[in-house]
Amino acid sequence: MKAAKPSELELQVLGVLWEQGPLSVRDLLPLLPDGKERAYTTVLTILQGMERKKLVTHRREGLTHIYRPLVTHEEVVQPVLKTMLNHLFSGNPAKVVQALMNATEISAEDLKQIRKVISQAAREAGKNGDEQ
């Protein structure tokens, strides 16, 4: 069964779990990137809903539940990016990159990584072109 589409808050929870690994509610709470004050019970309720949606699972360690994602970053991000690309940017990846560059402060190190990703994509495209 395919996992349900996560809400904005669920995406934040998944992002933290992907980056940090399995966590308890108490450990997860201060790591949510939007910085909003939330009650322990609020985050617990979100995680329980995410479990019903097959986005996370938990194991017990004494009285504590430790949550981990059941979905990968790629499984969640790829459909979101494809929808955004098609609906907001007319299917044009260059427009997405330009919008990202305009909306974000990009360091020299970020640019170096971006160039590396683009170079790798160009090599892959060249290989695929040779095979056809």
Side-chain angles (χ1 to χ4, degrees):
M1 183 172 120
K2 191 174 180 181
K5 182 180 172 189
S7 69
E8 186 175 327
L9 181 53
E10 290 169 344
L11 284 172
Q12 288 186 53
V13 168
L14 284 169
V16 171
L17 293 174
W18 288 325
E19 189 173 308
Q20 301 291 322
L23 294 169
S24 68
V25 176
R26 199 159 309 285
D27 292 334
L28 176 69
L29 193 54
L31 299 176
L32 292 172
D34 67 4
K36 291 182 181 176
E37 289 284 326
R38 290 191 176 83
Y40 176 95
T41 53
T42 301
V43 176
L44 177 60
T45 301
I46 294 296
L47 283 160
Q48 289 169 337
M50 291 175 72
E51 243 182 324
R52 284 189 297 278
K53 290 180 171 183
K54 309 282 190 241
L55 296 170
V56 299
T57 189
H58 76 273
R59 70 177 189 277
R60 286 187 70 129
E61 286 186 7
L63 297 176
T64 304
H65 288 183
I66 305 296
Y67 290 87
R68 70 172 178 83
L70 282 176
V71 292
T72 67
H73 185 263
E74 290 75 23
E75 288 172 323
V76 173
V77 171
Q78 293 300 323
V80 171
L81 288 177
K82 284 181 182 180
T83 298
M84 182 181 72
L85 175 67
N86 291 329
H87 293 183
L88 298 177
F89 298 98
S90 304
N92 186 335
K95 289 181 181 180
V96 175
V97 173
Q98 187 62 54
L100 179 63
M101 302 292 262
N102 292 342
T104 310
E105 286 189 30
I106 298 180
S107 69
E109 183 59 30
D110 292 333
L111 285 171
K112 183 178 174 183
Q113 291 296 324
I114 292 167
R115 283 187 194 100
K116 195 175 182 180
V117 169
I118 291 170
S119 293
Q120 179 62 36
R123 283 192 296 276
E124 293 297 319
K127 286 181 193 174
N128 292 338
D130 294 341
E131 294 170 5
Q132 293 175 1

